[in-house]
Amino acid sequence: MGGMMNLSWEALPLELRTTFRIAHGASDRRDNVLVCLDEGLGEAAAVAYHGETQAGIMAYLSGVGDIWGDDPYLLEDVLTRLPAGSAAARAGIDIALHDAWGKRLGQPLYRLLGLNPARIPLTSFTIAMAEPEVMAEQAREAGLPIYKIKVGGAQDVAAVAAIRAVTAARLRVDANAGWSREQAAALIPRLADYGLELVEQPLPVGDIEGLRWLKAQGFGLPIFADESIKTAWDVAAHAGAVDGVVIKLMKTGGIREALRAIHTAHALGIQVMLSCMIESSVGVTAAAHLAPLCEFVDLDGPLLVRNDPFVGLRYDGARLLLPDAPGIGVLAAIQ
Ligand code: MG
């Protein structure tokens, strides 16, 4: 690549198909940032829960400076020179750098990483919190094989029961840190009766001992940490306390640290769910290139967005079809 690279960015406003309600709150739009590094594309998701804003991401990007060096193929060296701060902005740069890398070498990212797209697990589809009958209707209409049900409200058992009544699909629940230890211990065995696969982030962030205690109860439902996990260091800190972790590029600060987090988890006997925030096809397709390494996949972001300006990852029901174009393989959509 050689010489200085040109970093630029622009607002990437995303409108959701329906209001997205989870235990943290509700929203119907996201103001993400599109990151461009020469021909490379990346995305930074402004997730308020992680303290990220569009303005904060752009402020970070404007302070990056010339860190690219003479040989940007030295991805690890270049990324080490990134200033501390916004994980989403760092992810945007990391993704754009990987995209430029692949484009210049003429290969899709998964091939550069030596990964087999035939090994990508089926993705779940998210059902946000609503009245139980509305949630059940969504599941019935979608007719997909795996759902992630958002819980952490007053009607959790009713919602799962209503959905189970209309589908034999694999069901996962995500409490988004919405339960106390007592609530979790009371609800998990009741929810397990509906044949769930796993429960995500039952307890507030930071309560590692609570997770360890819940896991020791042996409710027969694997426990995954999401909001508690950002980097490989966090994965290591949860050894023995969880059955799985949820890895997202916007938490790790990009692909390099996501790879380290995935391998750290596996070394500790922890399973990995690869997931995304509400992102366009840029961020989600970048993540999908790592999916062959993961046991579980939750990459439905673009399906929730009404105005995705890009095409990349495609869906055949719950099956992910990775693009073969060089880099992350994302193109501008023909509007
Ligand atoms: Mg989650």
Side-chain angles (χ1 to χ4, degrees):
M1 292 190 249
M4 186 175 164
M5 301 185 84
N6 182 41
L7 175 66
S8 64
W9 55 91
E10 60 187 79
L12 180 56
L14 301 177
E15 295 161 18
L16 305 189
R17 290 184 189 281
T18 55
T19 298
F20 192 70
R21 184 178 298 280
I22 64 174
H24 300 312
S27 62
D28 53 16
R29 60 174 289 129
R30 289 295 158 92
D31 289 293
N32 291 357
V33 178
L34 181 70
V35 178
C36 307
L37 194 54
D38 285 355
E39 70 270 58
L41 288 179
E43 178 172 2
V47 179
Y49 180 78
H50 291 292
E52 302 271 13
T53 63
Q54 189 181 57
I57 289 165
M58 289 183 173
Y60 177 94
L61 293 170
S62 63
V64 167
D66 181 12
I67 59 164
W68 315 110
D70 290 333
D71 184 359
Y73 285 106
L74 302 176
L75 301 189
E76 294 279 355
D77 288 7
V78 172
L79 293 168
T80 302
R81 293 194 287 268
L82 278 177
S86 171
R90 287 186 283 115
I93 291 172
D94 167 291
I95 294 167
L97 194 56
H98 282 83
D99 190 36
W101 183 44
K103 282 171 171 161
R104 292 186 190 190
L105 293 174
Q107 295 293 336
L109 180 57
Y110 69 82
R111 290 200 70 189
L112 295 176
L113 297 174
L115 300 177
N116 180 356
R119 292 188 183 277
I120 298 180
L122 298 178
T123 184
S124 58
F125 180 78
T126 302
I127 299 181
M129 286 167 70
E131 289 302 316
E133 54 275 23
V134 173
M135 296 170 77
E137 179 57 20
Q138 250 190 296
R140 200 191 55 75
E141 237 175 59
L144 291 166
I146 313 174
Y147 295 105
K148 176 189 280 196
I149 305 167
K150 293 295 191 177
V151 295
Q155 306 192 79
D156 292 342
V157 177
V160 171
I163 292 168
R164 180 48 88 210
V166 299
T167 179
R170 294 158 61 186
L171 301 181
R172 308 166 181 169
V173 294
D174 184 357
N176 286 114
W179 293 332
S180 65
R181 289 189 190 188
E182 295 67 30
Q183 284 173 311
L187 281 166
I188 288 174
R190 294 180 64 195
L191 293 173
D193 287 345
Y194 295 94
L196 304 185
E197 231 176 9
L198 58 91
V199 55
E200 221 180 287
Q201 196 67 42
L203 301 179
V205 173
D207 191 5
I208 297 182
E209 285 319 305
L211 291 171
R212 197 182 304 280
W213 172 80
L214 260 189
K215 180 167 152 58
Q217 302 304 304
F219 291 131
L221 202 50
I223 294 174
F224 279 51
D226 178 358
E227 284 88 338
S228 296
I229 303 292
K230 289 197 165 81
T231 62
W233 190 94
D234 298 311
V235 174
H238 282 72
V242 296
D243 301 289
V245 290
V246 180
I247 304 291
K248 302 176 182 174
L249 300 187
M250 296 302 147
K251 298 191 299 178
T252 58
I255 290 164
R256 298 321 273 190
E257 181 64 15
L259 288 168
R260 285 188 280 270
I262 291 166
H263 292 308
T264 300
H266 289 158
L268 295 167
I270 295 173
Q271 293 190 302
V272 176
M273 178 188 294
L274 185 66
S275 184
C276 57
M277 302 299 183
I278 291 175
E279 299 164 24
S280 78
S281 283
V282 174
V284 180
T285 304
H289 284 268
L290 308 187
L293 286 171
C294 303
E295 288 77 28
F296 298 89
V297 165
D298 166 37
L299 292 176
D300 61 349
L303 301 176
L304 307 174
V305 172
R306 188 199 305 279
N307 63 334
D308 188 351
F310 296 97
V311 290
L313 183 65
R314 292 181 188 278
Y315 297 83
D316 172 17
R319 208 158 69 87
L320 302 186
L321 306 173
L322 263 183
D324 274 328
I328 62 172
V330 168
L331 301 169
I334 295 161
Q335 299 288 347

